[in-house]
Structures are given as structure tokens and as C-alpha cells.
Amino acid sequence: MAIRTIVKHPDPILREKAKPVTKFTPNLHKLLDDMAETMYDADGVGLAAPQVSILKRVIVMDCGEGLIEMVNPEIIASEGEQFDYPEGCLSIPGLRGDVRRYQWVKLRAQDRHGQPFEMEAEELLARCAQHEIDHLDGILFLDRAERVYPISKDEEGE
Ligand code: ZN
């Protein structure tokens, strides 16, 4: 495994639309392994492939309940709203934004072998999934935030 470089806003690659994965090869497995290692190294809870310069529809997340890998993820149902939760991004260091997200989402994706699965997520995991899937469409939290502000001193190092 290897830690990859996380691209930072305003790198134009973060604005590109990622392409669906059609081949479930060792290359994909290496990408997923590297993305998990990169996310943990950066103390993040989620990472999308465009953030490591790969325009493929691949995300990894860990909101405290273990690693989740999703290939070609989609939101197929959603409910409720979460308000004003301070959201951050490994590609936008030093800033937070208050972003309104769905409270609950149902996700459909494939695993690293191409096997389809569905998963429900709420609260932080639902927020994380919406944030990461946005990355696959070139959308950043800055685009959705009602308010963007610098991280306070106490929060630094989180
Ligand atoms: Zn992000």
C-alpha cells in the first residue's frame, strides 16, 4: 500500500466528473487500498478517487464503524434534513462549511469485485456519503455551504 498525494482546491481535477468503473482489476484493488491508507493517514472520514487524481467513481469512508469501500456509488433514496453541521474536506484544509444534507440515504454500489450491494446510512455516515459522491461529480462542499469559515484554533488537529 502507499499513501497518495491529496490534491487541494482549486486544482481543476476536483471539478471534473469521474467515470464509472467497468473493470474490477488488481489496479482497482490497489487504488482502494491506497485510498484507505491515505484517508487514515490524513485523519479523514472519507476520500473520493478524484482527490488522489484518479477520475473514477470510487470512494472510501470510515465514520468509526470500519472501512467502507464503494465503487460506482449512487444515492437511490433519501429522507429528512441535517442542518448546519460543520463539514470539512481533506482537499480544502483550514475551512469548514455549514451544509444541509439528507438525514438518511439508501446507497447502491459495487464492491471491489463488482458485486452489487445496497446500504442504508444516517447522520454522519449519510453526510459523508453525500459529500464523497459529490466529489465524483466535481461538486465541493463550498458549492453547497450556506456559510464557510476558518477552522477555529481548538479544532485544529482534528
Ligand atoms: Zn471532500
Side-chain angles (χ1 to χ4, degrees):
M1 294 207 285
I3 292 170
R4 301 206 185 188
T5 304
I6 298 174
V7 297
K8 302 291 193 313
H9 175 70
D11 190 310
I13 200 162
L14 294 171
R15 295 310 197 168
E16 302 268 324
K17 206 169 151 72
K19 295 200 169 58
V21 172
T22 53
K23 292 181 190 145
F24 296 81
T25 58
N27 252 351
L28 173 68
H29 300 168
K30 171 139 179 51
L31 172 65
L32 282 159
D33 292 343
D34 287 356
M35 283 173 63
E37 194 177 1
T38 304
M39 172 182 75
Y40 289 125
D41 178 68
D43 286 325
V45 294
L47 191 70
Q51 292 180 277
V52 291
S53 306
I54 305 289
L55 287 171
K56 295 277 182 193
R57 303 191 77 83
V58 176
I59 64 173
V60 295
M61 302 185 286
D62 188 342
C63 292
E65 287 161 27
L67 179 64
I68 298 169
E69 300 176 342
M70 296 189 121
V71 179
N72 301 324
E74 300 172 76
I75 295 169
I76 55 171
S78 57
E79 247 172 51
E81 277 183 315
Q82 304 181 39
F83 292 99
D84 286 0
Y85 184 93
E87 204 168 302
C89 179
L90 294 176
S91 293
I92 309 170
L95 291 179
R96 288 269 197 275
D98 291 339
V99 184
R100 194 171 291 193
R101 299 282 189 187
Y102 297 119
Q103 168 70 17
W104 173 92
V105 291
K106 188 170 188 180
L107 303 159
R108 181 185 290 154
Q110 285 165 281
D111 71 11
R112 59 166 59 207
H113 305 291
Q115 194 65 39
F117 67 98
E118 291 184 358
M119 193 185 89
E120 291 178 29
E122 55 183 7
E123 302 285 347
L124 181 60
L125 185 58
R127 175 174 292 278
C128 187
Q130 292 165 77
H131 176 116
E132 300 312 331
I133 291 172
D134 270 355
H135 273 300
L136 304 180
D137 294 317
I139 298 166
L140 301 176
F141 84 81
L142 301 174
D143 308 336
R144 296 196 187 275
E146 291 170 23
R147 195 166 73 90
V148 175
Y149 44 91
I151 295 178
S152 67
K153 273 269 180 279
D154 332 331
E155 268 188 290
E156 244 168 303
E158 251 187 12

